Amino acid sequence: MTDSGKQSDIIILGAGLIGLTQALALTAHGLRVDVIDRAVPADLQDTAHDGRVSSINSASWNMFAAIGLAEKLEPHGCDIDRILINDGLKPGKLDFTPDADDDPLGVMIENRLLQQKLFEAVQAHAAITLHMPAQVQDIDRGDHLVSVALENGDQITAPLLIAADGRGSSAREAAGIAMTKWQYDHSAIVCTVTHEQPHENTAYEIFYPAGPFAVLPMRDDDQGRHRSAIVWTVARKDGAALAKINARAFHAELTKKTGGFLGQMELQSDRMTYPLGYHHSASLTARRLALVGDAGHGIHPIAGQGLNLGLRDVAALTESIVDGARTGLDLGDAQILARYDRWRGLDNLMMSAATDILTRLFGLPGDTSSAIRRFGIGIVQRIPPLKDQFMAEARGESGDLPKLLMGDLV
């Protein structure tokens, strides 16, 4: 759908997981939103192209419930009731298990299904106009309005532009926002496997010098076979080769990495590889512009929090906009954007720094380094208040939470 010369409340660049969630969060508060993406709509509903999975922590799940998405996702997700962390297969572990009457730590869901359900919800929403496929020809962020000209001749204006257009954000680059970035010497091999023993809704994170090896619980398939997602971080030079070895050899490598605690494993999907990197923007805002998700930051998947950081952006920006509008401010007012930047800037930086330090710490080779890591794991395991703090971080329930992450509309 397109309208030439249309006035909107908010324009969002990018129809990925974060951009679509942002659109639904804003329209849940009565705003009209235009979403622009160069992708063909059918590609966003194609469930065959993304092998990644995401851990939606309990705070992010609260937001999905508040905007009416959780009930659509629930049949496809697998609760995470426990997280086990080990340094290799050596003795000593960190065990995050909530009390029996607590909610799960999060929900595992395939990115392709999350994208599909988000797109279906956005497509059906009367207050959201999709411009797809559409190429942006020009963006003018003026003193009073943002004007976006599309190559098909359409022009959309709004008080605020939200960039959810990923790591290579053209809107961020055009605004001249500085970016710190580097590449890790890592690639992630992602696949789905079946296994003999049930996972009992447990997520395993096993740290090796070459990188973490995660086994993430998924729902059993239609034939009742137990399933998990594998996110295996390897040296970048080894990624392509390991992803192409024959299935029998790959199964043997999986058994070696897990110690066989889930029994025999077999591939159920293609193996995909993704290069890993870090990037962090100097600011999340510019004149009439806000960055969310990967447009503003990207971290190593060592803690499984990349998507959740972007969802926290969505919740904080929504609250900043809605609260500002209620006091009579223009939706793109500098006060609204400054609040959002303060709210999310430090938290994003701290999480980015923490994951970078963990990546380097757990990548140190040698018995001495391993002993130090296991000593640290043991301390956290034995001190309940410290363990509770780590569990709150895993749930996404620490810090100054936006209302959406507590399950409430603003």
Side-chain angles (χ1 to χ4, degrees), residues 280-325:
H280 190 86
S281 63
S283 172
L284 290 174
T285 62
R287 184 173 62 181
R288 298 196 174 274
L289 172 68
L291 310 180
V292 290
D294 282 355
H297 46 80
I299 61 176
H300 195 286
I302 191 169
Q305 292 299 316
L307 178 60
N308 290 301
L309 272 186
L311 294 173
R312 286 172 78 96
D313 292 346
V314 168
L317 180 57
T318 300
E319 187 163 333
S320 298
I321 291 169
V322 173
D323 282 352

Side-chain angles (χ1 to χ4, degrees), residues 88-89 206 208 210-211 213 232 252-261:
L89 298 174
I206 307 169
Y208 292 101
F213 183 92
W232 181 6
E253 287 293 329
L254 296 180
T255 300
K256 180 180 177 181
K257 289 294 181 184
T258 61
F261 58 75

Side-chain angles (χ1 to χ4, degrees), residues 84 86-90 191 193-197 199 202-208 211-216 228-232 250-266:
L84 285 179
N86 278 82
D87 184 57
L89 298 174
K90 297 173 183 177
C191 61
V193 298
T194 59
H195 43 82
E196 291 180 302
Q197 303 301 321
H199 50 55
T202 300
Y204 300 89
E205 188 94 12
I206 307 169
F207 289 98
Y208 292 101
F213 183 92
V215 184
L216 307 170
S228 289
I230 302 295
V231 182
W232 181 6
F250 193 76
H251 297 160
E253 287 293 329
L254 296 180
T255 300
K256 180 180 177 181
K257 289 294 181 184
T258 61
F261 58 75
L262 291 175
Q264 184 177 347
M265 290 183 168
E266 292 187 2

Side-chain angles (χ1 to χ4, degrees), residues 217-229:
M218 297 174 66
R219 282 182 177 262
D220 289 354
D221 68 13
D222 294 339
Q223 300 176 43
R225 293 177 297 185
H226 307 308
R227 294 194 306 157
S228 289

Side-chain angles (χ1 to χ4, degrees), residues 21-33 63 66-68 125 127-128 318 322 326 404 409-410:
T21 304
Q22 183 70 79
L24 291 170
L26 291 168
T27 53
H29 294 86
L31 295 171
R32 294 173 294 112
V33 176
M63 177 167 66
I67 64 177
H125 205 298
I128 301 175
T318 300
V322 173
R326 286 173 179 163
L404 278 171
L409 294 179
V410 180

Side-chain angles (χ1 to χ4, degrees), residues 12-16 18-20 22 37 162-166 169 290-295:
I12 298 175
L13 292 183
I18 296 299
L20 296 181
Q22 183 70 79
D37 198 294
I162 299 175
D165 51 345
S169 172
L291 310 180
V292 290
D294 282 355

Side-chain angles (χ1 to χ4, degrees), residues 66-88:
I67 64 177
L69 195 66
E71 61 184 23
K72 298 181 178 69
L73 296 175
E74 195 279 332
H76 307 283
C78 179
D79 288 348
I80 303 172
D81 294 331
R82 188 185 188 198
I83 299 174
L84 285 179
I85 298 173
N86 278 82
D87 184 57

